[in-house]
Amino acid sequence: MQLTRRDAAAALAALGSGGAVALGARQWQRDSEDPEEADLASDGAVRDAMVAVAEVVYPSEVEGIGEFVEGFLAGRLDREGHGDGLRRAVANLDELGRAWYDDPVAELPPADRDALLRETGADGVDEAPDGSAAERIRYYVVNDLLLALYASPTGGELVGIENPQGHPGGLESYQRGPNG
Amino acid sequence: MSETSTTAGGSGSAADDVDRSPVSGADVCVVGAGPAGSLVADRLAARGHEVVVLDAGPQFDDSERIERMERAIRPAYDRPDVWDGGGERDAYASTGEQFYPLNQARSKGVGGSTLHWQGMVMRLHEDDFNSGSARGVGPDWPMDYADLRPYYAEAETELGVAGADDNPFAPPREEPYPMPAFPPSYSDSLFAEACEEAEIAMHSVPNARNSESYDGRSQCVGYGTCQPVCPSGAKYDATVHADRAAERGATVVDRAPVQRLDHGPDRIEAAIYATPDGEEHRQEASAFVIAAGGVETPRLLLLSDSEHYPDGLANSSGAVGRYFMDHLFAGAGGVLDEPTRQNHVGFMTSESHQFYDDADEGVGPFKLEFLNYAGPSPVEQALTGDDWGDELLGRLQESYGTNVAVGGLVEQLPRSESYVGLDPDRTDDHGNPVPDVHWSIGDRARRTIERANEVQHEILDALGAEITWTVGPDATGPAYHHMGTTRMGTDPAESVVDASLRTHDLENCWIASSSVFPTGGALNPTLTIAALALKTADHVDESL
């Protein structure tokens, strides 16, 4: 199923960009020259990691992942507090990828990405924005991606609900029957 | 500060530069900026009075509501986190036989608990005002439905209620609702066939939620997280009237918890309130309206004890804090072998009051609700579990789509052994004893839950559902409606306020809150709170 700009806009709305971020307008810088931010992944590294992880945690029938992730990610990076949490969680994940698989998550084949995520413990923990590395990877990386997908119309339709919680999908769908 | 319309405060840090100093020459000091306090303030400011509103919590920034919605969906956050509740400010005790989750049941700040409420707004039935006479249990109210009827109509206009005159069991009304009712859901249409077979009448739910644009607020857009947060503002909350009161010249001061009420034998002189900078201030006024809800209102009176009132202010009757009531939930649900289309919206569109007025001494009134959000929400479910990818999608598809549920609210009688007191062993962030909610349920309420369950099972059986859960008397919980703790009555030896909502003991103190309900009925209380608040405003106005 194809994710569209409408889905990205819906995810952007549901995830609280504050409305200031335009879709597709961001430059994804990969290098940070600020030594103070050594434990924070660059925007470009976050983008690459999030797309790579999405390809693992999203259902296989979902298409258009790159544009969708870029579409909502800018708002997440710009949100006060959340952006640095996300950068730090991706830096943790990439560091573990390099230690265990010699490469950051974005450069690993899908099976290794899946294995890396599970080996961090992110599959077996509850999300926690101020928790352990595993809990933060779950919160900022895995669950940010799942929240964006399943609060969007296309993500909802995969499950059978075209107006999922978090999406302002109007007042028609709740009245419609399954064949409507 | 009193020269211009002001809403003082914001949800920023303690070091904000907001002027929270007292207003000189105030006519009215309102304690609490929930629906009751905000309506009173708006109405009295409109009549030219100098009004000050003091609220313990913050003035929240509307632009943060999307983030609050995310907190409502994500498992990392508990319900109190959505509106920054909990912590030492909101510490409490629960010592009764039934645990009371107080911080799940309230939100502090300008808007009060309407920030997180569901938004269902029914008028009490006529017999609810005469429980003792009509049902043989509990006290009668010192007023009838007819006395409150014009205020109900005003309250519906103020809040903005979407409804239809299709409830054959509701009390008489003359005016149409301000907005048309929300159309029934697809799920309702499934129930309609079953209810017809079971000879149970369904009708629309009056919602304080915009079915069309109203009062400068948008139509509902279907975010689906009504309880605990509406990002669009289509669901009414009391910031509407707090803001309007400020526009009319009232001063709304946030993060200003009232510590005690200074008083003589007959009058309150001043509200002593704290501010984030650690200072205490003294707000004097000609009249005081306490509108701090069914827990903090009695707590403030108990904290304001004195040589004149050694058992608590306005407590000559001993009834302050006593007779704490809530509504109890009864429900049952299951699955069908067909799609039921749940969780598109976060509100209900159909209910039934058919059994409400069968109430007597043995079984109380109850109403039935047909849920539009039965079963798991896929997006919430997606954020838990150890699976992802195709495996997660398979789990979501399997669990979503065929659930149904019938809920209900049940009356709880006022009982002196249920009360809100002070916990002598624990203090809040200002050193005041925290509230102790000492709650128990009672046999009549348990029988009523059982009766509601019988009807719910009958409906689900007619629907052909496989019943998978039932919330009966042993699993029930509160609906977060705090009532009864400063009861209204004609006898000063038995009650705290009279029918004009003024305390028997003090000539310049009124209480606007569900705390004045002598009995609770089984309908969501906020419309009655609003109607009583408008009545309170009239009485205060007359006195000034």
Side-chain angles (χ1 to χ4, degrees), chain B residues 227-264:
Chain B
Q227 193 180 49
V229 57
C230 172
S232 75
K235 180 187 78 174
Y236 171 83
D237 65 64
T239 63
V240 168
H241 286 96
D243 291 349
R244 189 176 302 163
E247 289 165 12
R248 296 190 201 276
T251 303
V252 182
V253 186
D254 78 337
R255 304 171 74 199
V258 175
Q259 306 296 296
R260 62 191 180 277
L261 298 166
D262 267 7
H263 59 272

mmCIF file of all heavy atoms in Angstrom, chain B residues 227-264:
data_model
loop_
_atom_site.group_PDB
_atom_site.id
_atom_site.type_symbol
_atom_site.label_atom_id
_atom_site.label_comp_id
_atom_site.label_asym_id
_atom_site.label_seq_id
_atom_site.Cartn_x
_atom_site.Cartn_y
_atom_site.Cartn_z
ATOM 1 N N GLN B 227 -11.579 12.217 25.241
ATOM 2 C CA GLN B 227 -11.194 12.034 26.634
ATOM 3 C C GLN B 227 -9.805 11.411 26.635
ATOM 4 O O GLN B 227 -9.686 10.232 26.257
ATOM 5 C CB GLN B 227 -12.196 11.106 27.327
ATOM 6 C CG GLN B 227 -12.108 11.070 28.812
ATOM 7 C CD GLN B 227 -13.131 10.120 29.423
ATOM 8 O OE1 GLN B 227 -13.254 8.995 28.990
ATOM 9 N NE2 GLN B 227 -13.861 10.579 30.413
ATOM 10 N N PRO B 228 -8.747 12.156 26.834
ATOM 11 C CA PRO B 228 -8.646 13.330 27.696
ATOM 12 C C PRO B 228 -8.317 14.653 27.002
ATOM 13 O O PRO B 228 -8.090 15.624 27.726
ATOM 14 C CB PRO B 228 -7.463 12.952 28.577
ATOM 15 C CG PRO B 228 -6.532 12.257 27.620
ATOM 16 C CD PRO B 228 -7.427 11.522 26.655
ATOM 17 N N VAL B 229 -8.304 14.732 25.694
ATOM 18 C CA VAL B 229 -7.944 16.034 25.123
ATOM 19 C C VAL B 229 -8.541 16.182 23.733
ATOM 20 O O VAL B 229 -8.504 15.255 22.923
ATOM 21 C CB VAL B 229 -6.400 16.236 25.087
ATOM 22 C CG1 VAL B 229 -5.713 15.128 24.316
ATOM 23 C CG2 VAL B 229 -6.025 17.586 24.494
ATOM 24 N N CYS B 230 -9.106 17.355 23.474
ATOM 25 C CA CYS B 230 -9.640 17.673 22.152
ATOM 26 C C CYS B 230 -8.735 18.733 21.524
ATOM 27 O O CYS B 230 -8.779 19.897 21.926
ATOM 28 C CB CYS B 230 -11.063 18.208 22.275
ATOM 29 S SG CYS B 230 -11.718 18.838 20.701
ATOM 30 N N PRO B 231 -7.906 18.352 20.558
ATOM 31 C CA PRO B 231 -6.993 19.346 19.983
ATOM 32 C C PRO B 231 -7.705 20.440 19.196
ATOM 33 O O PRO B 231 -7.169 21.541 19.064
ATOM 34 C CB PRO B 231 -6.102 18.508 19.045
ATOM 35 C CG PRO B 231 -6.222 17.110 19.533
ATOM 36 C CD PRO B 231 -7.625 16.996 20.058
ATOM 37 N N SER B 232 -8.893 20.158 18.679
ATOM 38 C CA SER B 232 -9.544 21.135 17.800
ATOM 39 C C SER B 232 -10.335 22.187 18.563
ATOM 40 O O SER B 232 -10.676 23.226 18.002
ATOM 41 C CB SER B 232 -10.472 20.418 16.822
ATOM 42 O OG SER B 232 -11.645 19.987 17.488
ATOM 43 N N GLY B 233 -10.658 21.920 19.816
ATOM 44 C CA GLY B 233 -11.514 22.842 20.563
ATOM 45 C C GLY B 233 -12.988 22.677 20.248
ATOM 46 O O GLY B 233 -13.816 23.455 20.728
ATOM 47 N N ALA B 234 -13.350 21.663 19.474
ATOM 48 C CA ALA B 234 -14.766 21.434 19.170
ATOM 49 C C ALA B 234 -15.530 20.934 20.389
ATOM 50 O O ALA B 234 -16.724 21.189 20.527
ATOM 51 C CB ALA B 234 -14.899 20.432 18.024
ATOM 52 N N LYS B 235 -14.845 20.220 21.266
ATOM 53 C CA LYS B 235 -15.451 19.827 22.541
ATOM 54 C C LYS B 235 -15.384 21.028 23.469
ATOM 55 O O LYS B 235 -14.333 21.655 23.608
ATOM 56 C CB LYS B 235 -14.670 18.649 23.138
ATOM 57 C CG LYS B 235 -15.217 18.150 24.457
ATOM 58 C CD LYS B 235 -14.304 17.095 25.090
ATOM 59 C CE LYS B 235 -13.094 17.715 25.755
ATOM 60 N NZ LYS B 235 -12.284 16.721 26.498
ATOM 61 N N TYR B 236 -16.506 21.341 24.091
ATOM 62 C CA TYR B 236 -16.507 22.467 25.043
ATOM 63 C C TYR B 236 -15.548 22.198 26.190
ATOM 64 O O TYR B 236 -15.483 21.091 26.713
ATOM 65 C CB TYR B 236 -17.913 22.687 25.636
ATOM 66 C CG TYR B 236 -17.885 23.693 26.771
ATOM 67 C CD1 TYR B 236 -17.910 25.050 26.495
ATOM 68 C CD2 TYR B 236 -17.768 23.288 28.098
ATOM 69 C CE1 TYR B 236 -17.832 25.991 27.533
ATOM 70 C CE2 TYR B 236 -17.691 24.204 29.128
ATOM 71 C CZ TYR B 236 -17.722 25.563 28.839
ATOM 72 O OH TYR B 236 -17.648 26.479 29.857
ATOM 73 N N ASP B 237 -14.813 23.217 26.554
ATOM 74 C CA ASP B 237 -14.167 23.199 27.860
ATOM 75 C C ASP B 237 -14.256 24.597 28.434
ATOM 76 O O ASP B 237 -14.542 25.574 27.729
ATOM 77 C CB ASP B 237 -12.720 22.682 27.786
ATOM 78 C CG ASP B 237 -11.820 23.587 26.984
ATOM 79 O OD1 ASP B 237 -11.626 24.738 27.406
ATOM 80 O OD2 ASP B 237 -11.303 23.146 25.939
ATOM 81 N N ALA B 238 -14.021 24.700 29.718
ATOM 82 C CA ALA B 238 -14.319 25.946 30.427
ATOM 83 C C ALA B 238 -13.335 27.062 30.138
ATOM 84 O O ALA B 238 -13.535 28.185 30.610
ATOM 85 C CB ALA B 238 -14.413 25.687 31.929
ATOM 86 N N THR B 239 -12.287 26.794 29.365
ATOM 87 C CA THR B 239 -11.451 27.931 28.939
ATOM 88 C C THR B 239 -12.287 28.904 28.111
ATOM 89 O O THR B 239 -11.964 30.085 28.048
ATOM 90 C CB THR B 239 -10.226 27.479 28.124
ATOM 91 O OG1 THR B 239 -10.653 26.838 26.917
ATOM 92 C CG2 THR B 239 -9.356 26.523 28.917
ATOM 93 N N VAL B 240 -13.345 28.395 27.486
ATOM 94 C CA VAL B 240 -14.247 29.276 26.719
ATOM 95 C C VAL B 240 -14.761 30.400 27.613
ATOM 96 O O VAL B 240 -14.693 31.589 27.245
ATOM 97 C CB VAL B 240 -15.425 28.462 26.144
ATOM 98 C CG1 VAL B 240 -16.515 29.387 25.598
ATOM 99 C CG2 VAL B 240 -14.942 27.496 25.068
ATOM 100 N N HIS B 241 -15.257 30.041 28.791
ATOM 101 C CA HIS B 241 -15.836 31.063 29.661
ATOM 102 C C HIS B 241 -14.787 31.781 30.508
ATOM 103 O O HIS B 241 -14.984 32.949 30.859
ATOM 104 C CB HIS B 241 -16.951 30.448 30.515
ATOM 105 C CG HIS B 241 -18.190 30.195 29.719
ATOM 106 N ND1 HIS B 241 -18.471 28.967 29.176
ATOM 107 C CD2 HIS B 241 -19.177 31.033 29.299
ATOM 108 C CE1 HIS B 241 -19.596 29.041 28.482
ATOM 109 N NE2 HIS B 241 -20.043 30.285 28.532
ATOM 110 N N ALA B 242 -13.698 31.122 30.812
ATOM 111 C CA ALA B 242 -12.619 31.832 31.520
ATOM 112 C C ALA B 242 -12.068 32.940 30.623
ATOM 113 O O ALA B 242 -11.852 34.076 31.066
ATOM 114 C CB ALA B 242 -11.520 30.856 31.919
ATOM 115 N N ASP B 243 -11.865 32.596 29.346
ATOM 116 C CA ASP B 243 -11.355 33.612 28.412
ATOM 117 C C ASP B 243 -12.374 34.732 28.220
ATOM 118 O O ASP B 243 -12.017 35.914 28.149
ATOM 119 C CB ASP B 243 -11.047 32.970 27.054
ATOM 120 C CG ASP B 243 -9.853 32.030 27.105
ATOM 121 O OD1 ASP B 243 -9.148 32.029 28.131
ATOM 122 O OD2 ASP B 243 -9.636 31.281 26.131
ATOM 123 N N ARG B 244 -13.636 34.355 28.130
ATOM 124 C CA ARG B 244 -14.666 35.375 27.920
ATOM 125 C C ARG B 244 -14.795 36.276 29.150
ATOM 126 O O ARG B 244 -14.972 37.494 29.025
ATOM 127 C CB ARG B 244 -16.009 34.711 27.602
ATOM 128 C CG ARG B 244 -17.075 35.708 27.162
ATOM 129 C CD ARG B 244 -18.357 35.012 26.776
ATOM 130 N NE ARG B 244 -18.130 34.044 25.710
ATOM 131 C CZ ARG B 244 -18.974 33.069 25.402
ATOM 132 N NH1 ARG B 244 -20.104 32.920 26.072
ATOM 133 N NH2 ARG B 244 -18.691 32.245 24.424
ATOM 134 N N ALA B 245 -14.699 35.662 30.313
ATOM 135 C CA ALA B 245 -14.746 36.468 31.537
ATOM 136 C C ALA B 245 -13.608 37.482 31.535
ATOM 137 O O ALA B 245 -13.789 38.656 31.889
ATOM 138 C CB ALA B 245 -14.668 35.559 32.773
ATOM 139 N N ALA B 246 -12.417 37.016 31.121
ATOM 140 C CA ALA B 246 -11.274 37.933 31.068
ATOM 141 C C ALA B 246 -11.519 39.055 30.058
ATOM 142 O O ALA B 246 -11.185 40.216 30.311
ATOM 143 C CB ALA B 246 -10.013 37.158 30.723
ATOM 144 N N GLU B 247 -12.109 38.693 28.924
ATOM 145 C CA GLU B 247 -12.421 39.733 27.925
ATOM 146 C C GLU B 247 -13.401 40.760 28.483
ATOM 147 O O GLU B 247 -13.378 41.929 28.108
ATOM 148 C CB GLU B 247 -13.015 39.086 26.671
ATOM 149 C CG GLU B 247 -12.001 38.306 25.854
ATOM 150 C CD GLU B 247 -12.678 37.392 24.838
ATOM 151 O OE1 GLU B 247 -13.897 37.534 24.623
ATOM 152 O OE2 GLU B 247 -11.971 36.527 24.280
ATOM 153 N N ARG B 248 -14.246 40.327 29.386
ATOM 154 C CA ARG B 248 -15.237 41.243 29.969
ATOM 155 C C ARG B 248 -14.657 42.043 31.136
ATOM 156 O O ARG B 248 -15.362 42.819 31.758
ATOM 157 C CB ARG B 248 -16.446 40.462 30.470
ATOM 158 C CG ARG B 248 -17.260 39.735 29.408
ATOM 159 C CD ARG B 248 -18.550 39.232 30.039
ATOM 160 N NE ARG B 248 -19.191 38.147 29.325
ATOM 161 C CZ ARG B 248 -20.013 38.289 28.301
ATOM 162 N NH1 ARG B 248 -20.264 39.488 27.834
ATOM 163 N NH2 ARG B 248 -20.590 37.228 27.742
ATOM 164 N N GLY B 249 -13.411 41.763 31.479
ATOM 165 C CA GLY B 249 -12.776 42.552 32.526
ATOM 166 C C GLY B 249 -12.416 41.794 33.777
ATOM 167 O O GLY B 249 -11.806 42.359 34.696
ATOM 168 N N ALA B 250 -12.783 40.532 33.847
ATOM 169 C CA ALA B 250 -12.397 39.736 35.015
ATOM 170 C C ALA B 250 -10.895 39.471 34.982
ATOM 171 O O ALA B 250 -10.272 39.495 33.919
ATOM 172 C CB ALA B 250 -13.151 38.413 35.038
ATOM 173 N N THR B 251 -10.338 39.210 36.142
ATOM 174 C CA THR B 251 -8.922 38.856 36.238
ATOM 175 C C THR B 251 -8.835 37.381 36.604
ATOM 176 O O THR B 251 -9.330 36.974 37.653
ATOM 177 C CB THR B 251 -8.225 39.704 37.316
ATOM 178 O OG1 THR B 251 -8.405 41.087 36.983
ATOM 179 C CG2 THR B 251 -6.750 39.382 37.385
ATOM 180 N N VAL B 252 -8.262 36.594 35.722
ATOM 181 C CA VAL B 252 -8.119 35.156 35.957
ATOM 182 C C VAL B 252 -6.656 34.894 36.288
ATOM 183 O O VAL B 252 -5.781 35.122 35.453
ATOM 184 C CB VAL B 252 -8.549 34.349 34.718
ATOM 185 C CG1 VAL B 252 -8.431 32.849 35.000
ATOM 186 C CG2 VAL B 252 -9.978 34.702 34.307
ATOM 187 N N VAL B 253 -6.407 34.469 37.508
ATOM 188 C CA VAL B 253 -5.034 34.262 37.964
ATOM 189 C C VAL B 253 -4.764 32.763 38.044
ATOM 190 O O VAL B 253 -5.450 32.050 38.770
ATOM 191 C CB VAL B 253 -4.798 34.904 39.352
ATOM 192 C CG1 VAL B 253 -3.329 34.794 39.742
ATOM 193 C CG2 VAL B 253 -5.251 36.348 39.355
ATOM 194 N N ASP B 254 -3.784 32.314 37.300
ATOM 195 C CA ASP B 254 -3.463 30.885 37.328
ATOM 196 C C ASP B 254 -2.342 30.608 38.330
ATOM 197 O O ASP B 254 -1.703 31.527 38.851
ATOM 198 C CB ASP B 254 -3.107 30.383 35.929
ATOM 199 C CG ASP B 254 -1.690 30.763 35.510
ATOM 200 O OD1 ASP B 254 -1.138 31.738 36.048
ATOM 201 O OD2 ASP B 254 -1.129 30.077 34.627
ATOM 202 N N ARG B 255 -2.131 29.340 38.606
ATOM 203 C CA ARG B 255 -1.077 28.882 39.528
ATOM 204 C C ARG B 255 -1.143 29.659 40.842
ATOM 205 O O ARG B 255 -0.133 30.093 41.373
ATOM 206 C CB ARG B 255 0.286 28.999 38.857
ATOM 207 C CG ARG B 255 0.330 28.222 37.539
ATOM 208 C CD ARG B 255 1.578 28.482 36.752
ATOM 209 N NE ARG B 255 2.718 27.819 37.349
ATOM 210 C CZ ARG B 255 3.981 28.156 37.096
ATOM 211 N NH1 ARG B 255 4.241 29.158 36.290
ATOM 212 N NH2 ARG B 255 4.956 27.493 37.650
ATOM 213 N N ALA B 256 -2.356 29.791 41.328
ATOM 214 C CA ALA B 256 -2.614 30.575 42.543
ATOM 215 C C ALA B 256 -3.504 29.777 43.487
ATOM 216 O O ALA B 256 -4.667 30.126 43.725
ATOM 217 C CB ALA B 256 -3.271 31.900 42.165
ATOM 218 N N PRO B 257 -2.986 28.669 44.032
ATOM 219 C CA PRO B 257 -3.817 27.833 44.908
ATOM 220 C C PRO B 257 -4.218 28.564 46.189
ATOM 221 O O PRO B 257 -3.355 29.126 46.880
ATOM 222 C CB PRO B 257 -2.913 26.631 45.218
ATOM 223 C CG PRO B 257 -1.521 27.129 44.991
ATOM 224 C CD PRO B 257 -1.618 28.141 43.889
ATOM 225 N N VAL B 258 -5.503 28.558 46.458
ATOM 226 C CA VAL B 258 -5.991 29.198 47.685
ATOM 227 C C VAL B 258 -5.654 28.293 48.865
ATOM 228 O O VAL B 258 -5.963 27.097 48.863
ATOM 229 C CB VAL B 258 -7.499 29.475 47.602
ATOM 230 C CG1 VAL B 258 -8.016 30.037 48.924
ATOM 231 C CG2 VAL B 258 -7.781 30.462 46.463
ATOM 232 N N GLN B 259 -5.000 28.872 49.863
ATOM 233 C CA GLN B 259 -4.534 28.111 51.023
ATOM 234 C C GLN B 259 -5.588 28.041 52.124
ATOM 235 O O GLN B 259 -5.731 27.029 52.791
ATOM 236 C CB GLN B 259 -3.266 28.761 51.585
ATOM 237 C CG GLN B 259 -2.171 28.945 50.548
ATOM 238 C CD GLN B 259 -1.649 27.624 50.016
ATOM 239 O OE1 GLN B 259 -1.069 26.840 50.756
ATOM 240 N NE2 GLN B 259 -1.891 27.353 48.741
ATOM 241 N N ARG B 260 -6.300 29.129 52.300
ATOM 242 C CA ARG B 260 -7.351 29.164 53.315
ATOM 243 C C ARG B 260 -8.206 30.399 53.090
ATOM 244 O O ARG B 260 -7.808 31.318 52.357
ATOM 245 C CB ARG B 260 -6.756 29.175 54.728
ATOM 246 C CG ARG B 260 -5.898 30.388 55.023
ATOM 247 C CD ARG B 260 -5.110 30.238 56.318
ATOM 248 N NE ARG B 260 -4.295 31.438 56.554
ATOM 249 C CZ ARG B 260 -3.101 31.646 56.000
ATOM 250 N NH1 ARG B 260 -2.591 30.735 55.169
ATOM 251 N NH2 ARG B 260 -2.424 32.748 56.260
ATOM 252 N N LEU B 261 -9.336 30.404 53.748
ATOM 253 C CA LEU B 261 -10.259 31.528 53.647
ATOM 254 C C LEU B 261 -10.314 32.223 55.005
ATOM 255 O O LEU B 261 -10.760 31.623 55.992
ATOM 256 C CB LEU B 261 -11.645 31.024 53.220
ATOM 257 C CG LEU B 261 -11.670 30.350 51.839
ATOM 258 C CD1 LEU B 261 -12.978 29.575 51.645
ATOM 259 C CD2 LEU B 261 -11.491 31.367 50.720
ATOM 260 N N ASP B 262 -9.838 33.448 55.047
ATOM 261 C CA ASP B 262 -9.891 34.221 56.292
ATOM 262 C C ASP B 262 -11.318 34.697 56.508
ATOM 263 O O ASP B 262 -11.954 35.214 55.578
ATOM 264 C CB ASP B 262 -8.960 35.443 56.180
ATOM 265 C CG ASP B 262 -7.586 35.133 56.738
ATOM 266 O OD1 ASP B 262 -7.331 33.954 57.073
ATOM 267 O OD2 ASP B 262 -6.767 36.072 56.829
ATOM 268 N N HIS B 263 -11.791 34.589 57.738
ATOM 269 C CA HIS B 263 -13.204 34.868 57.959
ATOM 270 C C HIS B 263 -13.466 35.272 59.404
ATOM 271 O O HIS B 263 -12.658 35.000 60.302
ATOM 272 C CB HIS B 263 -14.039 33.633 57.627
ATOM 273 C CG HIS B 263 -13.656 32.442 58.460
ATOM 274 N ND1 HIS B 263 -12.657 31.571 58.096
ATOM 275 C CD2 HIS B 263 -14.104 32.007 59.667
ATOM 276 C CE1 HIS B 263 -12.517 30.638 59.031
ATOM 277 N NE2 HIS B 263 -13.384 30.885 59.993
ATOM 278 N N GLY B 264 -14.618 35.897 59.592
ATOM 279 C CA GLY B 264 -15.175 36.104 60.904
ATOM 280 C C GLY B 264 -16.314 35.128 61.094
ATOM 281 O O GLY B 264 -16.409 34.134 60.364
#
